[in-house]
Amino acid sequence: MKPRLRGRATLIRYCDDFIIGFERQDDAHRVQAVLGKRMARFGLTLHPDKTRLLPFGRPSRRQQSGKGPATFDFLGFTFYWTRSRRGRWRLGCKTRRSSLSKAKMAINDWCRRHRHRSIKDQHAALCRRLQGHFNYFGVNGNSKRLQQLVGAAKSSWFKWLRRRGQRRPLTWKRYGELLRWWPLPRPRVTVQIWGPTSTSHIGGGAGWWKSPSPDLARGRRG
């Protein structure tokens, strides 16, 4: 299929999730028209709610405000166009909103079910959960979403520790002292996908996009 295209194209795939980027819009429409038929030969179908065609080219330099042409979700992340500190358009990557909500609910549920365990055990388990989240979602540009999860974890832990039936009710002041002895891990970037060492290439046109898939596909489906 690729030799018949008029412009450049790239495929980024992990398991059954994939993105195809095109330099030309007519190539995108041509592939969209035949892709479903090609997959049907192997007994496969495209998910109707997750399959869409959208423009994702770099916004013009003359556009000094507003947002990029579109956003899309892939492997638990949302990709979008944003501005750098120098005012240039660049790709942004943040935790998908639904993925962040699930992580918050999972931590809150864990704190509720294990609130009667020792502080030491609860602290160790929460640190493992948060660190596991950072290992996957800790990409540069995603610090805000990581901080939101840590904040939610602190609130959930405080909420359920207060319901342990203690003689002395847990106050925010006492909880602050507890966190000094048992601090939760700080958000940190574990993978640099944007920057001078990145191999990302952005072109204009219909939204051709190419980025290093090994950094994005690290063992989890979107």
Side-chain angles (χ1 to χ4, degrees), residues 108 154-164 175:
N108 182 75
K154 290 181 179 179
S155 297
S156 294
W157 200 18
F158 174 70
K159 171 184 176 180
W160 293 109
L161 285 178
R162 292 192 67 187
R163 301 189 181 188
R164 298 211 308 176
Y175 184 57

Side-chain angles (χ1 to χ4, degrees), residues 33-204:
V34 301
L35 185 58
K37 300 177 182 178
R38 181 69 62 87
M39 296 185 67
R41 296 180 184 178
F42 304 95
L44 302 174
T45 58
L46 294 172
H47 196 293
D49 298 330
K50 295 183 178 180
T51 304
R52 59 186 179 130
L53 181 63
L54 53 88
F56 201 68
R58 183 193 297 272
S60 171
R61 293 183 178 181
R62 292 174 294 181
Q63 181 179 337
Q64 299 297 322
S65 61
K67 301 180 180 180
T71 66
F72 67 89
D73 299 324
F74 187 55
L75 300 178
F77 291 93
T78 295
F79 293 87
Y80 61 101
W81 284 102
T82 184
R83 284 190 172 277
S84 67
R85 295 180 179 179
R86 297 182 178 181
R88 300 176 181 177
W89 287 103
R90 65 172 180 82
L91 277 177
C93 177
K94 61 184 178 182
T95 308
R96 185 178 179 181
R97 182 171 299 179
S98 61
S99 299
L100 180 61
S101 297
K102 290 179 181 178
K104 290 180 179 179
M105 289 188 293
I107 288 179
N108 182 75
D109 183 63
W110 190 95
C111 291
R112 177 185 62 83
R113 291 185 292 106
H114 299 89
R115 63 185 182 275
H116 295 296
R117 295 174 59 177
S118 67
I119 298 296
K120 179 180 179 180
D121 290 344
Q122 291 188 54
H123 175 260
L126 285 173
C127 287
R128 287 194 299 269
R129 286 175 171 269
L130 289 172
Q131 192 58 56
H133 186 91
F134 299 159
N135 289 343
Y136 184 81
F137 290 102
V139 301
N140 52 326
N142 194 32
S143 298
K144 184 177 180 180
R145 291 287 170 96
L146 300 181
Q147 292 171 354
Q148 290 176 3
L149 181 62
V150 174
K154 290 181 179 179
S155 297
S156 294
W157 200 18
F158 174 70
K159 171 184 176 180
W160 293 109
L161 285 178
R162 292 192 67 187
R163 301 189 181 188
R164 298 211 308 176
Q166 303 173 4
R167 293 182 180 179
R168 293 178 57 194
L170 182 65
T171 62
W172 272 110
K173 182 178 180 180
R174 289 183 58 205
Y175 184 57
E177 296 174 355
L178 182 147
L179 288 177
R180 282 194 290 271
W181 283 98
W182 305 98
L184 296 179
R186 295 182 178 180
R188 67 187 186 91
V189 173
T190 57
V191 177
Q192 294 280 347
I193 59 174
W194 316 127
T197 59
S198 173
T199 58
S200 300
H201 302 281
I202 306 299

